[in-house]
Amino acid sequence: DSRLQTLLREGHSSTQSSHRLLAYSDALISIIATVMVGNTPSFELRESLQGLLTTKIGVYLMTFLIVTVAWAAHIRLFQVVVRIDDCLALLNLACMMLITFLPYTFSLMATFPENILGILLFCGCVMVIGSVIVLYAFSRPFLLNEQIQISENQTFYKHHILKVIMKVPIMCFFASIFSFIFFQLSYVLLAIVIFLPYISQCLKWCRSKAIGQVEETPDSMLFYTYLPNEPLSKERVEAFSDGVYAIVATLLILDICEDNVPDPTVVQKQFGGSLTAALRLYGPEYLAYFGSFATVGLLWFVHHSLFLHVTKATRFMGLLNTFSLAFVGGLPLAYQLTHEFPPNSHNELEAIQISCVIIFFAGIFQLAIWVVALYNEQETLHPYVRYGGREHVLMLAKLALYPCIALGTFFLTCILSKFSAPIFHLMEITVPFAFLVLRILVRLGLLNAGYLSVVWLHEPRQPQSGQAVTRRLLST
Amino acid sequence: DSRLQTLLREGHSSTQSSHRLLAYSDALISIIATVMVGNTPSFELRESLQGLLTTKIGVYLMTFLIVTVAWAAHIRLFQVVVRIDDCLALLNLACMMLITFLPYTFSLMATFPENILGILLFCGCVMVIGSVIVLYAFSRPFLLNEQIQISENQTFYKHHILKVIMKVPIMCFFASIFSFIFFQLSYVLLAIVIFLPYISQCLKWCRSKAIGQVEETPDSMLFYTYLPNEPLSKERVEAFSDGVYAIVATLLILDICEDNVPDPTVVQKQFGGSLTAALRLYGPEYLAYFGSFATVGLLWFVHHSLFLHVTKATRFMGLLNTFSLAFVGGLPLAYQLTHEFPPNSHNELEAIQISCVIIFFAGIFQLAIWVVALYNEQETLHPYVRYGGREHVLMLAKLALYPCIALGTFFLTCILSKFSAPIFHLMEITVPFAFLVLRILVRLGLLNAGYLSVVWLHEPRQPQSGQAVTRRLLST
């Protein structure tokens, strides 16, 4: 039977590894999730900051949420579909096109809430995205996970998975039908699609932690649930995060290139031909750019250090990561604001404080990932960073640095509101050095620690070598 | 001695694999290389198309060139530096910041050619980027390639590599000094930095092919040359290409989200509240979006298929890939133009023809990669796609599809200039189906070919299994 499977698979010789397809999908989705923040319908920046921010942030967060939910579903799907062929690759591209179109349909829904066209378009997109790859892949079993192919009760597995995956398109189907009758109900249905799995699982998890009683799920059902400790592809979480950080880091340079090359005639007339004098006008914008790049780059650096130590990502860690990324994605907006307003105005102060809050939350959610990882440290962390391990303190310090500094800057700008901009920029420029100081402190500590730490700490590049290290340590 | 090395490396326990750092750098650089096309100083689109295009394309191509040269140097550097530590990661982030700043300094140079500030900034950035990582890594030998660490003549290697790498910063140093004396000379020097290695190697290669006489380079020097068959990290070429394709595919949806959500009051007044009627106005833009996404997606698909069959990328293939990507990066500009002009105008026809030309060249350079790979097929290709192999024909057909169709559309729009827009959009929408038809044709052919082809074609996921397949084939 297993030889038959192998032959079947060989006969369909055109299957390929899905690795690069997934990397490309991650890149596309992370771009779409992030760039929308600059692209909400434009307003006059001189208007009230609150009104502007509420609309912008609202639209941005919803877009980010919808796109990341689609991304999470994509991950879940490709945990089952492990091989691809040309046709599946083309179908995936078509789905990607519709995912990039989702924010637009959402904008239509938000602008014309009583018109059913937006709902219909949105539901139509979701229905196609949610069903077309599944149906194709399940009609060609050699594309599926080996676990399913080998398993005895293959049909049971398949039905269980199909039931989980098809829930969303079917609910969208009903939502689109209800939109003709009573459109408010459609919105309720859509909200349920997005939020319910998370809320119900969150409640269940909290309850089980509070009571301490763990429900034993039968082994066959552990696969493909919404449980918070369900494993998530660490590679894809990293790829998606990289995409978001990369886009955010470069968004501001675009503005600079577009607007900040002075006109030669203006330079000649107003500055007597002195380019330096003309460029000095843009000083705050350069500072904002370098500051934003440094902040985003260092947040990426912390994220990188964190995931270097993580051996297995869980769904709950993925959710916290998404929250962190949502705040990171808001940074360009805040930075644009910091240099858009006249110096020392009330608006500038507010913009800077909002930046601090955003940085604070981006850092706090990274810290939360670490805390959650420590809860199950046997499963999720390398031995040398577990509680009490040598690198543990360094990692904690790295993660705590941004929240602490952001908080400090926030209160300092409250007190010394006149110097808010210099304080903020000084903070941004000194943080990289703080990381270097941390590193040096640890290295000095390491030198004293001797051979034991050397054995414990070596070779973070081999995730599977944890046990080997422990064995070696025991034998010495 | 080698145990000492291992201990040394273990002692510096904080080193990490560079994999994710490189992936993030690739993402950043690909974004910077690509998005500049939309961001050249803005012009009135109603002006002459030629003048507009010449400036835009000129600035875009130079930016793309500079950034990809920096990227190539980054690859070369990280073929030597294989491990990173926290400090190197931070230095790399600082270099990335300066790389994102390069296009801006170039804009300053282009706008104020006689002012030395632009040259100084540009040279300063290049000098820092080109030297800081090298100097740090070479002062910590445990970060370097094992090949260098183990080798007998380690100092010779190191000097050879340093000489190659430091050439660029040193020439920039001279360029910045000459800018005070005779600034034209600086431009000449900078041009030499960028173009000379390629031109001289191209000429050398052509000569050796023409005369047939191959100069024997000593084995120790084969490492770290500019020879066109020097291996290039295939992973990084793929990551960079994915970044470019992903950005290009999503650039247009941003325009749509920003501009194409109609104002509720306008819909009420002009269209009697009918959203469908209001959206019908944007028809051409939707078509342009879906068409552009499909085209970019399929070009990615061809690229993906191509690199699935490639086992080793060479420097020359990388160069051709860069040319192909440069044209792909020009697509959003062309697409924006196609729906910016009034229907049936002379400008619209030209914009469409330019799009065809861009698609043609993007495809032709992909085809060229394939042809170059076939030259050294023993080294660079999987056995089942080599000349005469079964998949060979399919791959050739896939690669030839876009150039042929673009050429056909170009001539068709010349003849039937009145219907140029419908022809172009029809072409874009039918191409995906052409790929499916190709696939089906091959599958039909496969069914007849029987067991032999099954053995030949199976398992594209195991790159090393080529010899094993041949052996199995010989034994049957």
Side-chain angles (χ1 to χ4, degrees), chain A residues 14 16 20 39 83 86 97 100 104 115 242 254 260 275 286 289-290 303 308 398 439 461, chain B residues 14 16 20 39 83 86 93 97 100 104 115 242 254 260 275 286 289-290 303 308 398 439 461:
Chain A
S14 47
Q16 307 142 8
R20 196 176 159 198
N39 267 62
R83 305 278 296 165
D86 277 9
M97 187 198 281
T100 63
Y104 179 68
N115 196 312
D242 282 352
L254 299 186
N260 296 13
L275 186 57
Y286 296 138
Y289 172 65
F290 285 121
H303 190 272
L308 210 64
K398 272 187 192 169
R439 188 77 250 173
R461 70 167 144 175
Chain B
S14 48
Q16 308 142 8
R20 198 177 158 196
N39 268 61
R83 305 279 295 163
D86 278 8
L93 283 178
M97 187 199 280
T100 62
Y104 179 67
N115 195 311
D242 281 354
L254 300 186
N260 296 12
L275 186 58
Y286 296 139
Y289 171 64
F290 285 121
H303 191 272
L308 209 65
K398 273 186 191 169
R439 188 77 249 173
R461 68 166 145 174

Side-chain angles (χ1 to χ4, degrees), chain A residues 23 72 104 118 128 142 188 212 265 275 277 281 292 328 335-336 343 345 372 381-382 414 454 462 473 475:
Chain A
Y104 179 68
V128 174
F142 51 92
V188 175
T265 53
L275 186 57
L281 268 191
S292 101
V328 170
Y335 277 101
Q336 252 171 344
S345 66
V372 169
L381 286 180
H382 280 290
C414 286
V454 167
Q462 292 178 326
L473 187 72
S475 70

Side-chain angles (χ1 to χ4, degrees), chain A residues 247-262:
Chain A
I247 285 283
V248 169
T250 43
L251 272 183
L252 256 191
I253 193 71
L254 299 186
D255 286 343
I256 287 190
C257 278
E258 192 159 16
D259 306 331
N260 296 13
V261 178

Side-chain angles (χ1 to χ4, degrees), chain B residues 5 141 148-159:
Chain B
Q5 291 281 346
I148 299 171
Q149 287 192 49
I150 295 167
S151 105
E152 302 266 311
N153 40 7
Q154 199 178 337
T155 30
F156 167 76
Y157 259 132
K158 276 194 187 170
H159 279 132

Side-chain angles (χ1 to χ4, degrees), chain B residues 443-464:
Chain B
R443 189 162 289 172
L444 289 179
L446 270 187
L447 288 179
N448 301 328
Y451 185 61
L452 194 71
S453 68
V454 167
V455 175
W456 268 95
L457 296 173
H458 92 302
E459 306 217 331
R461 68 166 145 174
Q462 292 178 328
Q464 71 280 22

